[in-house]
Amino acid sequence: DARVTQTPRHKVTEMGQEVTMRCQPILGHNTVFWYRQTMMQGLELLAYFRNRAPLDDSGMPKDRFSAEMPDATLATLKIQPSEPRDSAVYFCASGWGGVGNYGYTFGSGTRLTVV
Amino acid sequence: DQQVKQNSPSLSVQEGRISILNCDYTNSMFDYFLWYKKYPAEGPTFLISISSIKDKNEDGRFTVFLNKSAKHLSLHIVPSQPGDSAVYFCAASKNQAGTALIFGKGTTLSVSS
């Protein structure tokens, strides 16, 4: 059963530290998304890639967040420096180019707590 | 400015009854709509979708209705089961290659036995 794998599942860090979250998309999927879930905003789109090229990162705070796809099997989301307001669950999702009839597949998320 | 709105944060229903979850959108460019279901400590999972060329799509106990003129869609679950208790997210997309899903804030459904 193909799945999107996210690591770590949980991360507690101190304010000011760098945080790196990783995502392994489903093999063959060419589109990768990063979403953030908070109580206030629900699921917010942060950035997404197609064929490893960034298509849109307008949802990310540019001064502290960065997203990359070093290769087709790995997507990373970095926060430097982290702040308490970054505490949230971060989801990665992958899929084919068009949303089609099956939506995109989400990972189980990384729960980030910044103290 | 929220483009996809789920105005009911929660809904409680008895087992066997119908659950109706609602969603409104503002962007007329959206032409593909999806519902996702999310259990605690898991990622959202795809449930059902509908293209703007249709007004209804059915999959077992789940039916999605789309009213384009009102920019409104709804998810009907009949009959509701306790295992349906979860957060339901409505999402919309411009059905082009590589476009992202824009989500509502979700509705928590509780089905009691």
Side-chain angles (χ1 to χ4, degrees):
Chain A
D1 190 22
R3 61 180 60 188
V4 174
T5 303
Q6 289 187 247
T7 55
R9 288 297 308 272
H10 302 273
K11 176 72 176 180
V12 181
T13 191
E14 292 186 346
M15 183 173 63
Q17 296 298 305
E18 178 178 301
V19 175
T20 298
M21 290 168 270
R22 293 177 173 80
C23 168
Q24 182 177 2
I26 292 173
L27 188 64
H29 282 183
N30 68 346
T31 309
V32 176
F33 304 86
W34 283 105
Y35 285 89
R36 173 170 65 180
Q37 184 187 14
T38 62
M39 291 296 293
M40 294 299 293
Q41 299 298 327
L43 277 165
E44 300 174 90
L45 176 68
L46 296 175
Y48 70 106
F49 297 78
R50 184 170 61 177
N51 298 324
R52 296 176 53 202
L55 284 188
D56 185 353
D57 61 1
S58 59
M60 290 200 313
K62 299 289 191 306
D63 56 339
R64 299 184 300 108
F65 284 59
S66 62
E68 295 179 346
M69 280 201 74
D71 61 59
T73 64
L74 177 65
T76 62
L77 180 66
K78 291 186 181 181
I79 308 174
Q80 168 63 21
S82 57
E83 297 180 1
R85 59 179 168 154
D86 301 329
S87 298
V89 182
Y90 290 80
F91 289 104
C92 175
S94 72
W96 297 106
V99 66
N101 292 322
Y102 304 100
Y104 296 124
T105 303
F106 280 75
S108 297
T110 294
R111 180 175 293 276
L112 174 65
T113 303
V114 183
V115 298
Chain B
D1 181 31
Q2 273 222 298
Q3 299 184 69
V4 178
K5 301 177 183 178
Q6 293 177 257
N7 292 321
S8 297
S10 62
L11 175 67
S12 294
V13 171
Q14 282 197 318
E15 182 179 8
R17 299 289 188 106
I18 184 171
S19 296
I20 300 176
L21 296 98
N22 293 304
C23 178
D24 298 292
Y25 62 96
T26 58
N27 191 335
S28 58
M29 297 293 290
F30 289 145
D31 58 6
Y32 207 83
F33 305 90
L34 304 90
W35 286 93
Y36 276 76
K37 177 178 174 179
K38 185 185 179 305
Y39 292 119
E42 295 182 11
T45 55
F46 171 74
L47 188 58
I48 192 169
S49 63
I50 188 167
S51 165
S52 59
I53 63 173
K54 296 185 176 181
D55 55 18
K56 176 182 174 181
N57 188 27
E58 201 169 345
D59 183 2
R61 296 186 296 114
F62 302 92
T63 303
V64 57
F65 295 92
L66 176 62
N67 182 334
K68 282 182 62 179
S69 61
K71 294 192 177 67
H72 176 84
L73 62 154
S74 61
L75 174 68
H76 293 212
I77 306 173
V78 183
S80 301
Q81 299 174 353
D84 296 329
S85 298
V87 179
Y88 289 79
F89 289 97
C90 171
S93 168
K94 303 167 198 173
N95 193 17
Q96 303 163 19
T99 54
L101 298 176
I102 306 301
F103 284 87
K105 292 187 179 182
T107 296
T108 300
L109 174 64
S110 299
V111 181
S112 56
S113 54

